[in-house]
Amino acid sequence: MPAEPVLVIHGGAWAMPDSVVEAHLRGVRNALAAGWRVLGNGGSALDAVEEAVVVMEDDEIFDAGRGSFLNRDGRVQLDALIMDGATLRAGGVGCVEHLRNPVRAARKILSESPHVYFVGEGAERFAVEHGIKLCRNEELVIPREVQRLQEFQACGIDKDSADLFAATISHDTVGAVALDSAGNLASATSTGGTLNKAPGRLGDSSLIGCGCYADNKSAAASTTGWGEPMMKLVLAKWAADRVLSGSLPEWAAAEAISYLESRVNGHGGIILLDARGQFGIAHNAPRMAWAVRTMEREEAGVERVK
Ligand code: ASP
C-alpha cells in the first residue's frame, strides 16, 4: 500500500556527557540525510536503512565500524543485522574483525544467500566472495578506544563480574528503521558490542528479534543498550508484537523499555515504526541520540521524546 516515507535513526543510549552531544547529533543527522536521499527519491526502506547505518559505521563517534569498543584482547569485533519487513528476509554477521561496514555484508547475505546468519571467518569469506574488501583489524582501532580499554583494565576490576553495562559506560550502537513509499518496512542495527567483552561474545544487536526486527504486519524495531537482558526478552520482537495487537508504536516502545527494566533490570533504548508511519522512540538510559524525518518534519535530539 502506498505510504509517505518515514525514517528514524538512533546512535546509542547511555549517560552521554554534554561534551559529546554535538558529535552524536551531527552523526545521526548525517545518517538521516543519507537514508532520506534514498527514501525521498522513491527508494526502498531496505536501501535507506543500509545507507544510514553505513554513515554511522564510518563515523568514529559511534560504537560501530571503525572506532568501536575494543574487546578484552584489544581487537574490534563487529555484529550487524538487516531485515526486510516485506519478505522477512534477513542477513546478519557476528564477530567479524575485518569488515569496515558489516551492514554491507549483512545486506549481501539477505539478498544473495539462502542463509540468514554468518559469523567470524565464514562471514568474511562470504563477504569477499560477494565483492566486499577486507581490512586489517588495526584499521578499525582508534587511539581513543585503546586508551579507554587500558583505563578500564587498569582499574583492576574483576573482569568477570565488572558492571560493564553501567549506564555511564557508553552504548553507541547504531540503528535505523524506515518505511518507504511502497509501504514496506526495514530495519538495521550495527555494533562493536560492549567494552572489554570476551572474544567471541555476541550481543543482541545482530540477533533477529532482539536488537533488530522488521515485519510489515507489525513494525520495524532497532534497540541499543546492554545486550544480554535485551536478548533474554527478545525485545525488538516483543515490541513489534505489541504493535500487532493494537498498541501505538509510541506506547509499545515505552512499554518495551519499562518491561526491560522491571523484568531483567536492563537499560537502553528502542526505535519502533509501523507501516502507517507511526513511530516511537523510548529509552531509560539518561540520553539517546535519535533523529527522525517524515514528509512534514525533521528533528534530532538526545533527550526523551515528549
Ligand atoms: N546492544 C549492544 C551489545 O550489547 C551494545 C549497545 O547497544 O551499545 O552488544
Side-chain angles (χ1 to χ4, degrees):
M1 217 175 27
E4 287 198 345
V6 179
L7 180 62
V8 189
I9 308 280
H10 75 75
W14 54 294
M16 189 187 299
D18 292 345
S19 56
V20 295
V21 164
E22 259 323 300
H24 281 78
L25 283 174
R26 201 166 39 244
V28 290
R29 284 192 182 111
N30 288 340
L32 193 72
W36 195 260
R37 269 195 293 280
V38 177
L39 279 186
N41 288 315
S44 73
L46 207 50
D47 288 341
V49 294
E50 180 181 352
E51 294 313 317
V53 165
V54 161
V55 166
M56 293 187 282
E57 288 177 339
D58 288 343
D59 186 335
E60 290 174 12
I61 195 72
F62 297 113
D63 177 31
R66 182 176 150 82
S68 286
F69 284 151
L70 302 182
N71 70 9
R72 199 180 283 180
D73 293 346
R75 294 176 73 78
V76 166
Q77 246 182 16
L78 304 169
D79 311 326
L81 186 90
I82 185 166
M83 186 158 182
D84 177 9
T87 61
L88 301 189
R89 292 184 74 169
V93 293
C95 298
V96 291
E97 296 192 351
H98 305 98
L99 294 173
R100 274 186 175 268
N101 295 112
V103 75
R104 291 262 191 244
R107 175 63 191 273
K108 289 280 184 198
I109 294 167
L110 181 153
S111 306
E112 295 177 36
S113 170
H115 305 308
V116 167
Y117 206 78
F118 285 79
V119 297
E121 272 180 40
E124 292 170 358
R125 198 187 309 166
F126 176 92
V128 170
E129 284 164 6
H130 291 80
I132 296 176
K133 275 208 194 105
L134 299 187
C135 65
R136 289 179 303 119
N137 194 261
E138 297 72 34
E139 291 172 49
L140 304 173
V141 175
I142 63 170
R144 179 193 69 207
E145 294 307 321
V146 173
Q147 191 185 343
R148 197 200 300 266
L149 182 70
Q150 275 167 1
E151 282 168 9
F152 185 85
Q153 293 185 337
C155 287
I157 307 167
D158 168 5
K159 293 187 187 103
D160 291 322
S161 62
D163 184 8
L164 303 178
F165 311 109
T168 45
I169 291 189
S170 66
H171 286 286
D172 283 326
T173 289
V174 304
V177 292
L179 171 67
D180 62 31
S181 52
N184 292 318
L185 291 169
S187 61
T189 306
S190 181
T191 189
T194 47
L195 176 62
N196 197 48
K197 66 185 179 182
R201 176 265 187 191
L202 194 72
D204 61 314
S205 306
S206 64
L207 299 179
I208 288 194
C210 299
C212 186
Y213 194 69
D215 183 349
N216 282 3
K217 292 197 187 306
S218 54
S222 174
T223 69
T224 176
W226 177 12
E228 276 71 5
M230 289 198 179
M231 52 179 127
K232 290 174 191 163
L233 299 181
V234 198
L235 199 70
K237 175 75 160 62
W238 189 94
D241 284 348
R242 291 289 162 302
V243 176
L244 185 63
S245 12
S247 288
L248 281 174
E250 191 186 335
W251 285 103
E255 273 174 9
I257 295 302
S258 47
Y259 179 48
L260 175 71
E261 190 167 326
S262 63
R263 185 70 180 88
V264 285
N265 195 26
H267 65 258
I270 187 167
I271 54 176
L272 191 62
L273 170 67
D274 72 11
R276 295 163 68 188
Q278 305 177 111
F279 63 88
I281 300 172
H283 51 104
N284 63 348
R287 283 172 162 163
M288 176 165 85
W290 57 268
V292 58
R293 179 136 184 206
T294 69
M295 297 301 274
E296 288 84 40
R297 65 189 260 230
E298 182 177 344
E299 229 180 302
V302 294
E303 306 300 342
R304 287 202 176 83
V305 180
K306 301 275 176 337

